[in-house]
Amino acid sequence: MSEIKQLAYALGAQIEGITISETLSDVQTAFIRKIWHEHHVILFREQKAKPNEIIEFASNFGELDDHASTPFYRLENFPQLMEITTRRVNGRPSETRNVGRNWHSDYSYTQRPAAASMLFCVEPAPVGGDTMFCNMVKSYETLSKPMQKIVDELHSVYDISLTAGLFQRDLKEVEETRKLNPPIAHPTVRVHPESGKKALYVSERVSHFHGMTSEESKPLIDYLCYHATRPENVYRHVWRAGDLLCWDNRTTMHMALTDFDLTQSRHMLRATLRGEQSGFIVDD
Ligand SMILES: O=C(O)CCC(=O)C(=O)O
Ligand SMILES: [Fe+2]
């Protein structure tokens, strides 16, 4: 029997009694989906899984992304997995050593933003290396009605160049990745296709609101990010080896902290579930 334990007031639940390397029954899959929709972030602890087993488990919940939008960060021979590591890769500092350093939702700068991500911890940092998550449904619901009306009408323009630390990576690869992902506008409020709930969709990777200047947009982007990431709306995950943490990118933002010694090994593998086609490319 599976049991759940809430991880924080705002979001997050640990599910016990599931072994991710084993085939899931339909009942188990439906149970996990239900808990995931309710709590937005779910955790499976003390798991042992090889890359193909993570892929198999993830594919119970939707179509897997092959990470073609960020082709340089894939795990060798497994395009369905991104390798997020501080370990050296092919004798060079890893290009993913600083992934996720500002508040964001995965692949928001693409035309098919990620529905969900599943991150498996192979090796945590010796101390720290935590990841924070915030609840974007609550963020929307706790805005005043007039503010909800304003954001309901807006489109957020996502710009991959605003990814923290991007320009500390291989500049040739960064240029290619930027060409693959021109700025794109998505609705600032999105309706979750399964739960029907409205969620705020902004982040620190939004340059402006479509049709507005950056000067006009900035105070509102700053306010909405501040509002969304208030401590009471956040779950902070302290990683252990064998954790599989799954988040809904349509109802959360997250941020990977640099609260650890970056010369030490921290090694993670991420599967990404594809979301719906959304947004339009902009040139303003
Ligand atoms: O390394 C982490 O904790 C998360 C990095 C990140 O943003 C991601 O995997 O989407
Ligand atoms: Fe991320």
Side-chain angles (χ1 to χ4, degrees), residues 84 99-100 104 106 119 131 239 247 254 256 266 268 270:
I84 296 167
V99 160
H104 68 282
D106 292 330
L119 191 60
T131 309
W239 292 97
W247 60 89
H254 61 281
R266 178 184 187 273
M268 324 284 270
R270 190 185 97 194

Side-chain angles (χ1 to χ4, degrees), residues 12 46 122 148 164 166 192:
E46 293 176 31
V122 179
Q148 286 181 347
L166 188 71
H192 193 282

Side-chain angles (χ1 to χ4, degrees), residues 22 54 60 68 94 98 141 171 181 202 220 232 235 282:
E22 288 173 4
I54 300 169
N60 286 299
S94 156
N98 63 2
E141 288 174 352
L171 291 182
N181 300 288
V202 289
L220 187 50
E232 63 268 31
Y235 166 61
V282 294

Side-chain angles (χ1 to χ4, degrees), residues 91-247:
R92 298 192 316 169
S94 156
E95 288 301 303
T96 56
R97 67 191 180 279
N98 63 2
V99 160
R101 300 286 183 234
N102 53 0
W103 284 104
H104 68 282
S105 172
D106 292 330
Y107 275 177
S108 46
Y109 47 75
T110 74
Q111 293 188 61
R112 281 192 73 176
S117 302
M118 301 177 142
L119 191 60
F120 183 73
C121 179
V122 179
E123 185 181 25
V127 176
D130 302 350
T131 309
M132 299 203 296
F133 295 85
C134 70
N135 181 336
M136 298 304 269
V137 174
K138 269 195 202 252
S139 302
Y140 179 76
E141 288 174 352
T142 52
L143 291 172
S144 65
K145 289 278 175 277
M147 185 59 103
Q148 286 181 347
K149 235 171 133 185
I150 293 171
V151 290
D152 276 342
E153 298 294 311
L154 298 175
H155 281 78
S156 314
V157 178
Y158 284 87
D159 186 345
I160 193 172
S161 311
L162 297 177
T163 301
L166 188 71
F167 296 100
Q168 287 150 20
R169 301 181 199 163
D170 180 301
L171 291 182
K172 219 171 124 261
E173 292 182 2
V174 167
E175 250 347 279
E176 273 183 60
T177 310
R178 284 177 71 203
K179 277 207 195 100
L180 284 171
N181 300 288
I184 182 156
H186 294 292
T188 302
V189 177
R190 301 206 306 174
V191 178
H192 193 282
E194 282 153 272
S195 72
K197 288 197 173 140
K198 276 183 162 185
L200 195 56
Y201 196 57
V202 289
S203 83
E204 292 181 341
R205 297 180 183 175
V206 171
S207 57
H208 62 286
F209 296 109
H210 184 54
M212 287 169 66
T213 64
S214 27
E215 289 88 344
E216 288 170 337
S217 308
K218 190 171 182 309
L220 187 50
I221 297 167
D222 289 349
Y223 171 71
L224 294 172
C225 289
Y226 160 78
H227 173 70
T229 62
R230 291 176 200 267
E232 63 268 31
N233 197 36
V234 167
Y235 166 61
R236 177 169 176 154
H237 186 65
V238 180
W239 292 97
R240 293 187 205 158
D243 283 354
L244 180 75
L245 193 71
C246 312
W247 60 89

